[in-house]
Amino acid sequence: METIAMPAINLAVIMPEILLSCIAMVLLLVNVFVPGNNKAYLGYLSIIGLAVTAASAVGGWGPSVSAFNGSVVQDNFAIFFKVIFLISAGLAILISDRYMVQEDCNQGELYPMILFATVGMMLMASGTDLMVIFLGLELLSICLYVLAGWNRDNLKSNEAGLKYFLLGAFSTGFLLYGMALTYGATGSTKIQAISSYVMGNPGVASNPLFVVGMLLIAVGFSFKIAAAPFHMWTPDVYQGAPTPMTAFMSAGPKAAGFAAFIRVMIFAFPMLRAEWSDLLWILAVLTMTVGNIIALSQDNVKRMLAYSSIAHAGYALVGFAAVNAEGAAGILFYMLSYAFMNIGAFAVIILITKKGEVNGNVQDLAGFGHKKPLLAMVLSIFLFSLAGMPPTAGFIGKFYLFSAAIKAGYVWLAIIGVLNSAASLYYYLRVMVFMYMKDPEEDFEWAGATPAIAVCLLVAVGATLVLGVVPGTVLELAQKAVQF
Amino acid sequence: MESIFFLVVAAVAVISSILVVTCKNPINSALSLVMTFFCLATFYVMLDAPFMAATQVIVYAGAIMVLIIFVIMLLNVRVETVKRGTHAVIAGSAIGLFILFQTVWFLMKGSMTGKVGDMTKEQIVSVGHVELIGKALFTDFLLPFEVTSVLLLAAIVGAVILAKKKI
């Protein structure tokens, strides 16, 4: 009997993932064994858990360390993304309590599910083995299917969960098929081994298996980041899912999709860079344009934000298509600021809508600016940031993405991006017009913010403005993160 | 000889998987799916992966399909009577054929041989298929193996949340 040589297991590298999954499991048990119907405390415990995980993740900042035979890596790129995921999970948890109580939803398992989804996202960012990336994506997706259908008594939520599950499973098939073909062409699932094989055998670039593998992987990830023409699920799922979960889905998983997409494309397919860069060019233009044009005609604010989130994936793809350090750093910065501004906007929407998500239309916002001036101002800041107006984070993010495209010679791409950004002003400003300039037809009474939501709004507004006025430090960190 | 056998099994696999989606009676669909799984198991045997073939038969064709058929019978799903839209069928077939031609054309273009793996037939026979899989699972794929457990836990919790009558 020969002994098996175990690979170097460096648990410190995956400590954040281990910590967070353990915390999630403990919370599941706490939920079962601690009596009482008020489960809000689980949310606060999860936020403590997220903070501990963030501390452990940030502690690894520095030179990259690989572990498990090159299955997973701890580098600045992964750490930056992990912080984005943890922030979006934390903000989503803060705004969950009030919504779930209002809609009579079960709360106990909600927080562990969000934490499990976050573990999946972290594995996607730090995985350097296609299998780890795939399993991280599956862990994330399965949690999201459940979270989207969380409001079991609401037909729209059921539809969102089922639709997301069916289309998600379909797209996972594409991704896995692509990974299998890549494995067949290169003989490994480790990104390191794939890249060294490709460097040693340039002929593989003309191997149909390899090219089709790259295309199918691109399709799978494009679905996750909701890029057109793989965006069909987004509006229905975002509208039907509980609002806090929509906020979470639009910020965290989108960033996770980008993290894995960037790592796989840049490291596993460097030979095909010209090809996939052109592919991303087309995807970016389609995604921005489709998202913005359809968003123009939406009345429901949640659905409008869903289409706008498609458009934002398009802006980030502009930076990706540029394939340079500025573009990658731009995506990191943009995903971080997008998490703050989008979750913030959804937090205000939670306060606006009543049970059953009625009065979520733009028209229902008439008079909101006079009744709740502070909340209306906060929402306006988020919308300005989403539209890309200075001095907000959205402006700086777009500025860097588009300037990266220009540096890479994609002037037309940048022009299309700016034009799209201008078109998006219409639907963001429309909300503000209704808030401040129209008189309400009915007399609505809006609820005030609960302490948890107030904290979320405070953090989000603060970050949106700070990242917009003094982006230097964070941008520097983002630039360090993409020095692979 | 082997290539003829492969073609026959492949034809059965394709036909039975088409039947899975076209059969009007759900039980027939499920049984066609069993057929597809058996064909897949045959492919695994032909690829010198007997352990994969055995798990395919035991887990998929055995356990999972029995569950699916139980659920169909318990729910008493009736034979589908809804008439399918013909436009969708035509559009779908056109796109499918286009993609098929595209794939065939693409495959004719270049050499498809990728990297040849480390394992040879003799090695698999001498060491044993199960041992090799076990070794890979606990060395190269240790982390994916462990992540799967978290994935399954999350899936179980999620299924209970969505399906349980009263939480």
Side-chain angles (χ1 to χ4, degrees), chain B residues 1-15 39 43:
Chain B
M1 179 61 205
E2 204 180 314
S3 62
I4 296 171
F5 185 63
F6 169 77
L7 285 176
V8 171
V9 179
V12 174
V14 170
I15 292 169
C39 293
F43 290 144

Side-chain angles (χ1 to χ4, degrees), chain A residues 116-343:
Chain A
F116 279 130
T118 313
V119 173
M121 293 193 276
M122 295 205 290
L123 282 169
M124 281 171 78
S126 59
T128 49
D129 183 328
L130 294 179
M131 287 304 292
V132 176
I133 292 177
F134 170 72
L135 284 170
L137 184 96
E138 272 302 275
L139 178 54
L140 165 68
S141 304
I142 285 181
C143 294
L144 286 185
Y145 304 148
V146 177
L147 290 173
W150 198 267
N151 193 351
R152 304 194 306 171
D153 306 325
N154 183 324
L155 268 182
K156 282 221 149 146
S157 181
N158 292 350
E159 182 199 341
L162 193 63
K163 209 169 226 171
Y164 196 20
F165 171 65
L166 290 176
L167 291 175
F170 191 53
S171 82
T172 302
F174 280 100
L175 184 73
L176 200 56
Y177 203 7
M179 287 176 174
L181 291 179
T182 310
Y183 174 66
T186 60
S188 180
T189 55
K190 305 257 191 298
I191 289 181
Q192 189 61 45
I194 294 175
S195 103
S196 61
Y197 177 78
V198 172
M199 291 299 175
N201 303 272
V204 77
S206 63
N207 186 340
L209 287 186
F210 190 61
V211 179
V212 174
M214 183 274 280
L215 285 174
L216 290 177
I217 288 179
V219 168
F221 283 129
S222 302
F223 177 89
K224 271 294 149 221
I225 60 172
F230 312 105
H231 66 284
M232 292 303 191
W233 57 278
T234 321
D236 290 336
V237 173
Y238 281 16
Q239 191 183 3
T243 313
M245 294 311 108
T246 310
F248 178 56
M249 271 194 275
S250 65
K254 199 186 281 285
F258 269 107
F261 203 2
I262 292 173
R263 202 188 283 279
V264 171
M265 282 299 167
I266 288 188
F267 288 101
F269 301 108
M271 306 285 298
L272 301 172
R273 181 171 286 192
E275 279 85 356
W276 59 252
S277 177
D278 285 349
L279 188 80
L280 290 174
W281 201 105
I282 299 168
L283 270 185
V285 171
L286 263 182
T287 308
M288 287 189 291
T289 316
V290 167
N292 277 321
I293 287 181
I294 307 184
L296 290 177
S297 60
Q298 299 304 320
D299 273 342
N300 185 298
V301 182
K302 233 172 131 184
R303 205 171 171 84
M304 182 270 278
L305 281 176
Y307 279 109
S308 101
S309 109
I310 299 176
H312 284 278
Y315 302 136
L317 278 172
V318 170
F320 193 5
V323 208
N324 51 17
E326 286 87 4
I331 294 177
L332 264 60
F333 184 84
Y334 201 70
M335 282 295 138
L336 180 66
S337 34
Y338 185 67
F340 285 119
M341 58 201 186
N342 211 36
I343 295 182

